[in-house]
Amino acid sequence: MFYTDSLLTDLFGLLLALTAIVITYYKWSFAYWKKNNVPYLEPTIPFGNLPSPVKPTDTIGVVIKKAYEEFRRRKVPHGGIFGLTRPIYLAVDLEYVKNILTKDFQHFVDRGVYYNEKVDPLSAHLFAIGGQKWRNLRVKLTPTFTSGKMKMMFQTLLDCEENLHEKMETLHKSGQAIDIKDVLGCYTTDIIGSCAFGLECNTFKEEDSPFRKYGKKVFTSTTFRRLQFTITINFPKLAQFLNLRTVPKDIADFFTKVVRDNVAYREKNNYSRKDFMQLLIDLKNNKLAQEEGYQHDGNTLTIDEVAAQSFIFFLAGFETSSTTMTWALYELAKNQDIQKKVRDEINTVLAKHDGKVTYEAIQDMKYMSQVLDETLRKYPPVPFVTRQCIKDYKVPDQDVIIRKGVRVFIPILGIHYDEEYYPNPEKFDPERFSHENIQNRHQYAHIPFGEGPRICIGLRFGIMQSKVGLTSLLRNYNFTLNSKTKQPMKFSVKSFILAADGEVWLNAQKI
Ligand code: HEM
């Protein structure tokens, strides 16, 4: 049916009407924070306050940091922003951060990450799921990460360290600059491949090892994946309806097969190994609960759940730690005095432990812990964490209710660069993490692993593998910055985590 004599005019009219509807909807949505008495940043159509998924100019972590800084400038304890049309609450005051992550956690149990168990079972892992389901799984998985279990896996870690050592020898002999990000990516892939999947990945020797290939792919954000992410995060119901996946099919098929084959092999041959995979198999067969003597819901893990947890351990476990070590070495290369101090500590501690890298020796390296804390302050691999409000929450001392369904962002990167907590924040200074300085600061001013009941479950493992890697490298080599490294270093807009843009090239001089 035509309204005028011309189809073109009709189409134009229709387009105009649709545009008017969309703009009205945006305007109505953008009034949300004003109506709810929360100071907010002026959003723009179409992406609100978040970067465009098509051509981002900044990483989302930096955009959230800038929003935090603007609210701090306005001296307000919290603020509102928008992702497309959806309101996002930003906690600014550290007491508010503490309330959301810990004290009033029962209102914010979910992370609001999309997953679709039906089409994509691998996506239903600990990081994504929420509610009671998350609580049950967290209780089951917590014993997997105790210091006793870390100690048990230490030898597996040392075995992988040998490959790192060999690779460094070869690279050093070639006399060329070292792409340290790549070397450490292989090192942590080997470790987590071994601990989470029970396999020797050999990424140093096999350049196109599937673990390295898929590991890299999963963290590379293409325009398509950013668009898909925008849809899943903003329209989860539509994403469910469209059966959208979050894990690309080739990656999912590979990891699922690896787990199924591995579990079948171990069960058939009654073979057991000291790794995460074994702990998950024991959970599946209800053995771990009996041994640990703890209570859970009585349900064991299914094989799909075992696969999903192995997958998240792999994802969360390798890139975060390799990036942390890369940034640490980048800073140490620029700050030779600090590098020397870490090396002196390594030598002193190892001398006390018969020259051996043991679990206890690693725990004794206190200054290295400070270096890692300062690295994670300046470069938190996860620059902000999210929560989703699951029941209406009244913000203390404010006439503000955070409604059920609203997403909450905790701006880690912004907090870590706040001059009030860290004067001269660009300066790399491990002394900020001396015992005394930590005592004088708000506990939530340093949260690279998140906080509260949903804090990173792999924290101990991440620190342990980073310390072993740094020990191996720094006791044998002195690192300086190679001129091929871009300066000043920028954050990559193509990575899902806070990584360096381009390679970090270092010169390694044998000690
Ligand atoms: C330097 C290393 C690491 C950093 C900086 C890091 C950071 C984080 C952060 C910020 C979160 C979100 C916490 C929150 O929302 O409050 C998280 C969650 C998580 N991390 Fe890590 N992580 C690291 C290493 C690891 C390792 C090695 C593993 C496993 C082997 C791991 C497994 C997980 C899992 C499963 C979650 C979800 C926990 C839950 O929702 O219950 N992470 N991590």
Side-chain angles (χ1 to χ4, degrees), residues 97-384:
V97 171
K98 184 175 168 181
N99 291 343
I100 289 165
L101 292 182
T102 307
K103 207 168 140 261
D104 300 318
F105 174 74
Q106 72 274 20
H107 291 264
F108 303 98
V109 175
D110 292 2
R111 195 168 266 127
V113 171
Y114 168 80
Y115 67 98
N116 188 333
E117 201 163 2
K118 207 170 71 201
V119 286
D120 190 6
L122 227 50
S123 67
H125 46 62
L126 190 69
F127 191 87
I129 62 176
Q132 194 55 39
K133 208 170 162 174
W134 167 79
R135 284 183 197 276
N136 291 342
L137 191 61
R138 178 92 190 196
V139 170
K140 284 180 204 167
L141 294 181
T142 297
T144 312
F145 290 88
T146 57
S147 43
K149 295 290 181 329
M150 294 301 105
K151 216 167 162 178
M152 183 187 100
M153 276 182 239
F154 196 75
Q155 188 52 45
T156 316
L157 239 98
L158 285 185
D159 296 344
C160 297
E161 186 268 334
E162 272 177 37
N163 296 345
L164 170 68
H165 188 67
E166 261 177 47
K167 178 72 180 179
M168 281 300 293
E169 288 278 314
T170 320
L171 288 172
H172 176 254
K173 276 189 196 133
S174 78
Q176 286 170 3
I178 292 168
D179 174 0
I180 200 70
K181 197 159 122 184
D182 189 55
V183 171
L184 291 169
C186 290
Y187 163 65
T188 52
T189 303
D190 272 7
I191 291 183
I192 204 74
S194 178
C195 290
F197 292 95
L199 289 181
E200 276 189 31
C201 304
N202 258 332
T203 53
F204 282 120
K205 291 188 187 113
E206 257 183 72
E207 297 247 311
D208 51 354
S209 130
F211 270 90
R212 187 77 183 122
K213 187 176 99 187
Y214 290 121
K216 271 186 183 169
K217 187 171 171 188
V218 95
F219 277 102
T220 309
S221 91
T222 58
T223 306
F224 174 73
R225 289 189 69 197
R226 280 194 299 271
L227 273 172
Q228 197 183 28
F229 181 71
T230 307
I231 296 176
T232 56
I233 197 102
N234 290 294
F235 309 108
K237 289 204 174 102
L238 176 71
Q240 288 283 358
F241 177 75
L242 296 174
N243 270 337
L244 288 188
R245 330 172 45 98
T246 51
V247 187
K249 185 144 185 347
D250 55 338
I251 302 183
D253 288 347
F254 169 74
F255 283 107
T256 309
K257 183 169 180 332
V258 167
V259 171
R260 283 183 181 272
D261 290 354
N262 206 307
V263 172
Y265 176 85
R266 290 193 191 192
E267 288 184 344
K268 186 165 165 235
N269 298 291
N270 215 0
Y271 172 77
S272 165
R273 194 168 176 268
K274 291 179 174 170
D275 55 20
F276 285 129
M277 174 61 79
Q278 193 59 45
L279 296 167
L280 290 171
I281 295 174
D282 289 350
L283 272 171
K284 179 171 107 37
N285 299 332
N286 219 352
K287 210 170 140 211
L288 196 63
Q290 288 161 18
E291 277 173 15
E292 301 276 328
Y294 74 93
Q295 292 293 316
H296 62 59
D297 61 356
N299 294 320
T300 58
L301 291 187
T302 65
I303 185 74
D304 277 344
E305 285 171 328
V306 169
Q309 306 332 308
S310 307
F311 183 61
I312 192 61
F313 292 170
F314 178 74
L315 282 196
F318 91 92
E319 188 82 349
T320 44
S321 299
S322 67
T323 313
T324 303
M325 282 184 276
T326 301
W327 286 120
L329 288 171
Y330 168 74
E331 286 289 352
L332 294 180
K334 292 204 302 179
N335 296 281
Q336 289 291 316
D337 51 332
I338 303 177
Q339 185 176 159
K340 180 174 177 309
K341 201 167 163 185
V342 188
R343 184 173 302 110
D344 286 349
E345 181 188 67
I346 294 174
N347 291 334
T348 314
V349 169
L350 290 187
K352 276 197 229 151
H353 292 264
D354 299 329
K356 291 199 183 98
V357 181
T358 60
Y359 179 80
E360 288 72 21
I362 290 293
Q363 306 304 314
D364 275 355
M365 294 179 187
K366 305 286 183 227
Y367 187 66
M368 191 190 281
S369 297
Q370 287 181 225
V371 167
L372 282 174
D373 281 342
E374 176 65 344
T375 306
L376 288 166
R377 176 191 71 81
K378 273 194 86 176
Y379 312 100
V382 185
F384 67 102

Side-chain angles (χ1 to χ4, degrees), residues 432-502:
R432 299 183 202 270
F433 292 92
S434 67
H435 182 68
E436 195 194 348
N437 286 337
I438 292 176
Q439 298 305 310
N440 291 333
R441 216 173 18 236
H442 195 293
Q443 195 203 334
Y444 283 67
H446 187 250
I447 45 171
F449 294 97
E451 253 303 344
R454 273 203 104 142
I455 194 172
C456 173
I457 201 170
L459 181 158
R460 280 201 188 99
F461 190 80
I463 292 178
M464 181 170 82
Q465 65 176 345
S466 302
K467 281 179 124 180
V468 170
L470 288 180
T471 303
S472 166
L473 295 171
L474 289 167
R475 75 192 287 209
N476 293 307
Y477 300 94
N478 189 67
F479 292 95
T480 50
L481 215 54
N482 184 275
S483 54
K484 280 202 285 179
T485 306
K486 274 195 239 158
Q487 290 290 306
M489 185 63 84
K490 287 201 185 116
F491 296 129
S492 165
V493 290
K494 290 202 186 122
S495 169
F496 279 121
I497 66 168
L498 201 66
D501 184 20

